[in-house]
């Protein structure tokens, strides 16, 4: 684009639409295929060492929560729920169970590669020479105005 002048017009006399251009720039992916909005929101994840920072921040938060748990007095109905760290351990066990149960559930629900037979041909029992629904004339019913 040409350089805008002070009066808001470019060299050809057209008004410069800076807002529309900035929106266009925000919606146009760069040469490497990364959308600019994703670069704004998630660009920090590409920094070197960010994984270590997140790990140590979560470790520190977990240790703080565990140390606070020693000073909280609970009056739960079940005796074993009163122990320090019980809810953290219980959450970890339940989450691990949910993740591990994904494996047999995947085997139960997953179809094998040949479930749909040959991907290139028609399904079994279908005549490829039969007329399609678009080729057939529209049905005529006697209740459509015929007396």
């Amino acid at each position: 684009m040409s350089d805008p002048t002070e009066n808001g017009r470019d060299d050809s006399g057209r008004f410069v639409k800076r807002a529309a251009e900035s929106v266009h720039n925000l919606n146009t992916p760069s040469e490497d295929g990364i959308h600019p909005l994703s670069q704004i929101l998630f660009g920090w994840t590409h920094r070197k060492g960010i994984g270590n920072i997140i790990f140590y921040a979560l470790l520190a938060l977990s240790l703080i929560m565990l140390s606070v748990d020693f000073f909280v007095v609970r009056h739960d109905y079940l005796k074993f729920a009163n122990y320090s760290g019980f809810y953290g351990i219980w959450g970890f066990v339940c989450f691990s169970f949910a993740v591990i149960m994904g494996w047999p559930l995947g085997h139960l629900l997953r179809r094998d590669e040949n479930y749909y037979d040959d991907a290139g041909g028609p399904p079994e029992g279908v005549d490829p020479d039969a007329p399609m629904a678009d080729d057939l004339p529209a049905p005529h019913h006697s209740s459509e105005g015929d007396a």
Side-chain angles (χ1 to χ4, degrees), residues 110-133:
R110 194 175 302 133
R111 305 287 183 216
D112 62 350
E113 293 180 17
N114 296 328
Y115 179 72
Y116 292 108
D117 293 331
D118 182 24
E124 191 174 308
V126 174
D127 184 14
D129 298 327
M132 299 295 288

Side-chain angles (χ1 to χ4, degrees), residues 42 93 108:
F42 304 112
V93 168
L108 179 68

Side-chain angles (χ1 to χ4, degrees), residues 65-85:
M65 299 282 285
L66 187 61
S67 64
V68 168
D69 194 27
F70 284 111
F71 301 109
V72 174
V73 178
R74 290 198 191 89
H75 304 287
D76 288 328
Y77 182 73
L78 301 171
K79 291 287 185 188
F80 59 85
N82 288 324
Y83 294 120
S84 295

Side-chain angles (χ1 to χ4, degrees), residues 100-113:
I100 291 171
M101 283 299 108
W103 177 73
L105 187 63
H107 283 290
L108 179 68
L109 298 177
R110 194 175 302 133
R111 305 287 183 216
D112 62 350
E113 293 180 17

